[in-house]
Amino acid sequence: MALLLNIDTATENASIALSENGKAVLTMVNNQQRDHASWIQPAIQDLLKKTGRTMQELQAVAVTAGPGSYTGLRVGMATAKGLCFALGIPMITENTLRVMAYAATVQTFPNGDEYRIKAGLKNGTLLCPMIDARRMEVFTALYDLGLNIVQNPAAIILDADSFNKELENNSILFLGNGSAKWKPVCNHPNAFFADVNQTAEHLAPLAEVLFLQEKFADLAYEEPVYLKEFYSHIKK
């Protein structure tokens, strides 16, 4: 049982959550992607103040390690490392795509729970989180309903034949901001789409399991999971 600070700055919405025993006590969200770096430290102080807890009570810091926004990942990782070094506590990392997949299993969807009615979240259903990686490229992976990896996280370029083999034998729920550009291309009857909003609250239960298993990251050598090299449009 642990008191954890959970950090997710991997996508357009940054969030932090204080969790106890794997359940979020309070979650705070920032929707301005360019402000993640300036928002996070004051937000952590505000989070602790509102929950009546202190930095010294934290037992670990968990962070989404990627894939995702290059800058966002660096903000989250640097923040987590700095706190862990200063407080002498362990750091826990989790793949962003796995957090997204978990969020899909616990989120209630609107419009009559359309996805659960059609696909049933039954045996044979796979979860495919997608993060936009420019043009028709996405960061993605496939998970079963137990969040076990079926297809390893990777950066792929989508086309009309993507996931054809997997869709023949499985219903697949596509989610995340990358799935918006895949939806008009994919016409397979076993493909379903849903808006799933993950936050640091969804990182919390996954981080709790890793904490109890003592699966901690190496503070000195842990790096974000980028999946592809960063590039800039700025001309030199």
Side-chain angles (χ1 to χ4, degrees):
M1 304 298 182
L3 184 71
L4 306 182
L5 174 64
N6 303 272
I7 299 172
D8 181 6
T9 56
T11 58
E12 64 269 26
N13 297 324
S15 59
I16 56 174
L18 187 70
S19 64
E20 192 165 13
N21 305 333
K23 295 183 179 180
V25 178
L26 181 64
T27 303
M28 300 179 68
V29 178
N30 176 50
N31 298 318
Q32 302 299 317
Q33 189 169 10
R34 293 184 178 181
D35 297 338
H36 289 352
S38 60
W39 171 81
I40 193 165
Q41 292 292 352
I44 291 171
Q45 295 294 334
D46 193 26
L47 181 75
L48 292 169
K49 182 178 179 180
K50 287 180 177 178
T51 54
R53 310 308 287 259
T54 66
M55 287 282 192
Q56 289 66 34
E57 292 179 86
L58 295 176
Q59 293 170 264
V61 178
V63 61
T64 47
S69 159
Y70 180 88
T71 302
L73 292 176
R74 292 179 67 85
V75 168
M77 187 68 71
T79 301
K81 281 190 174 186
L83 289 172
C84 290
F85 272 121
L87 298 170
I89 57 177
M91 182 175 73
I92 298 166
T93 59
E94 182 59 274
N95 191 282
T96 311
L97 296 167
R98 190 164 186 262
V99 175
M100 294 169 67
Y102 172 75
T105 69
V106 298
Q107 182 169 328
T108 300
F109 300 112
N111 302 322
D113 213 7
E114 182 179 0
Y115 167 68
R116 292 177 191 263
I117 291 172
K118 288 185 176 180
L121 282 180
K122 57 189 177 182
N123 293 335
T125 299
L126 300 179
L127 304 170
C128 186
M130 290 181 167
I131 299 173
D132 192 352
R134 300 176 185 269
R135 301 183 179 87
M136 285 303 290
E137 190 171 14
V138 295
F139 302 124
T140 190
L142 283 174
Y143 298 88
D144 64 20
L145 296 181
L147 302 185
N148 301 300
I149 294 178
V150 176
Q151 184 171 300
N152 287 323
I156 69 169
I157 297 175
L158 297 169
D159 59 39
D161 296 323
S162 298
F163 299 101
N164 274 356
K165 180 179 178 181
E166 293 81 5
L167 284 164
E168 285 305 311
N169 299 310
N170 305 277
S171 295
I172 301 181
L173 173 64
F174 296 96
L175 57 122
N177 62 7
S179 66
K181 58 188 178 185
W182 169 233
K183 187 175 183 178
V185 179
C186 179
N187 298 308
H188 200 285
N190 287 341
F192 302 92
F193 295 81
D195 293 327
V196 176
N197 300 311
Q198 99 281 357
T199 68
E201 178 178 352
H202 300 109
L203 171 61
L206 303 179
E208 177 76 10
V209 172
L210 294 173
F211 180 86
L212 295 175
Q213 295 173 344
E214 297 186 356
K215 292 184 178 180
F216 304 133
D218 189 319
L219 280 179
Y221 298 104
E222 189 74 12
E223 293 290 338
V225 179
Y226 296 120
L227 292 186
K228 71 173 188 176
E229 293 184 4
F230 171 77
Y231 65 91
S232 173
H233 291 294
I234 299 176
K235 295 181 179 180
K236 295 182 179 181

